Amino acid sequence: MRPSTDYLEHLARLARKVHAEASMGGSQPQPDAEFYKVLAKAADEVVQGFKSLSQRE
C-alpha cells in the first residue's frame, strides 16, 4: 500500500500561494494557522512513508 500524499500536495499548494503573494510585492505574507497544521500533517505522512519503506526492506 502506498503512503498517502494528500497533505504533502496540499502543503505544496499552500506554499505556492504564500510564494505568489510574496512575489506580488508589499509586505511579506506570513503563513497562517492552516499552513502550519497542514505542515504538521504532511510531516506525519513523510514519517509514515519512511516507516513503510523500512518495513519492506
Side-chain angles (χ1 to χ4, degrees):
M1 182 173 141
R2 288 186 65 187
S4 175
T5 59
D6 295 341
Y7 280 103
L8 292 170
E9 292 168 358
H10 187 53
L11 177 62
R13 280 191 298 274
L14 288 175
R16 283 191 292 274
K17 178 183 169 194
V18 170
H19 177 262
E21 290 172 1
S23 68
M24 307 242 339
S27 63
Q28 187 73 351
Q30 297 296 317
D32 58 5
E34 180 188 7
F35 181 86
Y36 290 109
K37 176 184 169 188
V38 172
L39 179 62
K41 291 189 179 218
D44 289 340
E45 284 185 353
V46 170
V47 169
Q48 290 302 317
F50 282 137
K51 284 182 180 179
S52 72
L53 285 174
S54 67
Q55 288 174 354
R56 290 181 197 166
E57 294 178 351

